């Protein structure tokens, strides 16, 4: 009996052990933790299961513009430059930015992709709509805009996609790391242009780049047919009908750069094709022959100057013919109309208007047409950055540019029906100069959080004189009246809070 009990107990234990063994879990696969990728600098991590490193970045900022309807510009056109009850005393904006940078080592070197875009909301502007009514245009309530700044691939020395123009200096349009967008005298592109580029690296900081870039969005201003100029258009800075044809050739850009510990020197050159549509409304009216323009730019940066650690001076100068955007950069309006006061008897107010074009021509048919007259521009800008201590820095900056039309172009503008309708009493000369100066101070109390104030001014030196009998400009509530033609200026300030991550 005892033997039976012991055997039964042993069998039960064995059976129980077998049952437990049957439900043991399968060993789990080891977890792949995200690993730091130190090869390309701080902030990169390996994408799990791959040899590709990725870095996420971005910022959130809040802006207020004082004395302007535009970011980040002085009011040189539209309701902001009317200086009346339609003009904004301030304009607010909020922006969130996201960047994604991936890099993979290969036998051809690093394969890189880069994307940066942002979401923006800002207050808009109010324009007159007749009979005391107004219309608001802006981002609305709860809505905003999406911008794609950069989206490109780099492989074996090639850059393909939307990236900063190779023509640009490294600081693009901001030699003092300023926020003001309207600095003339350089052809920088800060928001990216579609391109196919190749860069050869000769070592010791010496590189050479050849690039084909799309001019459509950022590197063409106007081709005006002055036959279609109107008085209403001229007083807003437009000297004829916009007559660009389709895009048939990219801009060709070449760059040589020396980038070393002492600073940087860069020489850039570009060729730009001017291609017009038809003289009239159909193919049978004919067209002007294409004409290539060109541009050149020199840039110099001097680092670690004796005034303090990290202090820098950046300078650049540009000259163009038939390629005005390489000196009057992408953010500067091409049509100016600034109103101000006057002391001239019989004049209602003063007005300064000006326009930027790559080329001018006239004609409604081949029989009455003229050839392209290419516009010349030249100018310079620069900035100085001083670090007071690790938390405070101040910068000053300025720029100047001249826009010059040929004698034939002046004759076409001044002899147009639109100019005749204005009854100009003085000198007719569409040439003009623009200048801008500013200063920005920043406080960074903690890393990647910065409070900034940027004060800037723009000056229009126009070459007209006398008075005109201008038609009404309904959108800015300006009446038909006699206006004195006079130089103008505008002052504004940007206040910004930005947190980078």
């Amino acid at each position: 009996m005892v033997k039976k009990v012991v055997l039964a107990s042993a069998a039960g234990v064995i059976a129980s052990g077998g049952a437990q063994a049957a439900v043991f879990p399968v060993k789990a696969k080891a977890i792949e933790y995200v690993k730091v990728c130190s090869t390309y600098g701080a902030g990169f991590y390996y994408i799990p299961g791959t040899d590709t490193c990725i870095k996420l970045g971005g910022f959130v900022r809040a802006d207020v513009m004082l004395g302007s309807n535009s970011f980040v510009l002085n009011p040189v056109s539209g309701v902001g430059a009317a200086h009346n009850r339609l003009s904004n005393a301030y304009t607010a904006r909020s922006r969130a930015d996201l960047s994604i940078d991936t890099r993979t080592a290969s036998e051809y070197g690093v394969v890189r992709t880069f994307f940066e875009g942002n979401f923006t909301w800002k207050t808009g502007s109010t324009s007159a709509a007749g009979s005391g009514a107004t219309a608001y245009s802006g981002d609305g309530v709860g809505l905003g805009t999406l911008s794609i700044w950069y989206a490109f691939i780099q492989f074996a020395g090639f850059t393909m996609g939307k990236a900063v123009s190779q023509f640009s200096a490294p600081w693009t349009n901001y030699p003092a790391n300023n926020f003001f967008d309207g600095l003339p005298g350089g052809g920088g592109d800060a928001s990216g242009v579609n391109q196919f580029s190749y860069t050869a690296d000769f070592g010791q900081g010496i590189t050479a780049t050849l690039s084909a870039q799309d001019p459509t969005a950022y590197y063409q201003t106007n081709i005006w047919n002055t036959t279609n100029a109107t008085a209403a258009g001229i007083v807003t800075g437009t000297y004829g009908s916009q007559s660009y044809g389709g895009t048939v050739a990219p801009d060709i850009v070449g760059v040589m750069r020396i980038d070393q510990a002492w600073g940087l020197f860069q020489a850039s050159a570009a060729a730009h094709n001017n291609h017009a549509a038809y003289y009239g409304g159909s193919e049978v009216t004919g067209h002007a022959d294409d004409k290539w323009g060109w541009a050149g730019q020199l840039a110099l940066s001097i680092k670690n100057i004796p005034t303090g650690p990290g202090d820098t001076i950046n300078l650049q100068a540009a000259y163009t013919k038939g390629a005005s955007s390489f000196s009057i950069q992408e953010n500067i309006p091409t049509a100016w109309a600034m109103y101000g006061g006057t002391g001239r008897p019989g004049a209602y107010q003063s007005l300064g208007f000006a326009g930027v074009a790559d080329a001018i021509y006239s004609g409604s048919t081949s029989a009455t047409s003229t050839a392209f007259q290419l516009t010349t521009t030249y100018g310079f800008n620069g900035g100085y950055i001083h670090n007071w201590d690790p938390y405070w820095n101040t910068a000053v900056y300025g720029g100047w540019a001249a826009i010059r039309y040929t004698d034939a172009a002046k004759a076409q503008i001044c002899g147009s029906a639109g100019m005749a309708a204005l009854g100009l009493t003085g000198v007719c000369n569409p040439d003009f100069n623009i200048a801008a100066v500013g200063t920005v101070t920043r406080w960074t109390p903690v890393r990647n959080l910065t409070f900034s104030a940027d004060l800037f001014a723009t000056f229009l030196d126009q070459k007209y004189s006398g008075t005109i009998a201008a038609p009404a400009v309904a959108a800015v509530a300006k009446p038909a009246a006699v206006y004195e033609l006079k130089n103008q200026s505008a002052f504004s300030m940007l206040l910004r809070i930005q947190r980078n991550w």
Side-chain angles (χ1 to χ4, degrees), residues 417-435:
M419 191 65 76
L422 291 174
L424 175 63
T425 62
V427 174
C428 181
N429 184 352
D431 291 347
F432 66 101
N433 305 326
I434 51 178

Side-chain angles (χ1 to χ4, degrees), residues 15-101:
S16 174
Q20 289 177 357
V23 298
F24 280 167
V26 177
K27 186 177 181 180
K29 187 178 179 181
I31 297 173
E32 280 196 73
Y33 292 97
V34 176
K35 296 187 297 183
V36 172
C37 174
S38 59
T39 307
Y40 307 111
F44 281 91
Y45 297 86
Y46 283 101
I47 299 174
T50 75
D51 59 355
T52 296
C53 298
I54 187 170
K55 178 180 181 179
L56 301 180
F59 61 78
V60 174
R61 72 167 57 138
D63 293 334
V64 175
M65 275 288 298
L66 304 178
S68 181
N69 287 55
S70 305
F71 276 92
V72 177
L73 297 165
N74 296 114
V76 299
S77 62
V79 292
H83 300 299
N84 59 20
R85 294 187 65 83
L86 300 178
S87 306
N88 287 354
Y90 74 92
T91 304
R93 179 176 71 176
S94 296
R95 173 172 287 173
D97 178 276
L98 172 66
S99 64
I100 306 171
D101 191 347

Side-chain angles (χ1 to χ4, degrees), residues 296-497:
Q297 178 175 273
L298 298 176
L300 175 67
S301 178
I302 304 173
K303 302 176 183 177
N304 299 316
I305 58 179
T307 54
D311 289 8
T312 303
I313 295 175
N314 295 320
L315 304 167
Q316 62 182 334
Y319 188 99
T320 76
K321 189 174 182 65
S324 299
S325 287
F326 289 91
S327 176
I328 311 301
Q329 45 92 357
E330 60 175 357
N331 297 311
I332 298 176
T334 61
W336 294 44
M338 304 173 70
Y339 291 87
T342 182
R344 180 177 291 241
Y348 173 69
Q349 288 178 349
S350 65
L351 170 64
F353 60 82
V356 184
D358 292 329
I360 295 286
Y361 75 106
S362 63
S364 55
T365 66
S366 296
T368 61
S369 66
T370 64
F372 278 152
Q373 296 295 316
L374 300 184
T375 307
T376 296
T377 74
Y378 48 89
F380 61 88
N381 64 53
Y384 164 62
I385 304 169
H386 175 63
N387 297 288
W388 300 102
D389 57 37
Y391 308 102
W392 289 88
N393 73 55
T394 297
V396 292
Y397 57 89
W400 176 91
I403 295 83
R404 298 291 182 263
Y405 292 97
T406 66
D407 289 342
K410 292 176 183 177
Q412 292 171 37
I413 293 169
C414 294
S416 67
M419 191 65 76
L422 291 174
L424 175 63
T425 62
V427 174
C428 181
N429 184 352
D431 291 347
F432 66 101
N433 305 326
I434 51 178
V437 295
T439 181
V440 56
T441 294
R442 303 176 188 85
W443 175 48
T444 305
V446 297
R447 186 178 180 183
N448 293 328
L449 176 65
T450 302
F451 297 79
S452 307
D454 196 345
L455 175 66
F456 41 88
T458 297
F459 304 89
L460 171 63
D461 174 20
Q462 52 89 56
K463 304 302 180 183
Y464 294 103
S465 68
T467 62
I468 57 171
V473 182
V476 298
K478 292 298 180 181
V482 173
Y483 291 83
E484 178 189 9
L485 299 182
K486 187 178 177 182
N487 297 342
Q488 304 290 337
S489 60
F491 296 80
S492 306
M493 174 180 279
L494 172 73
L495 302 177
R496 170 171 293 175
I497 306 170

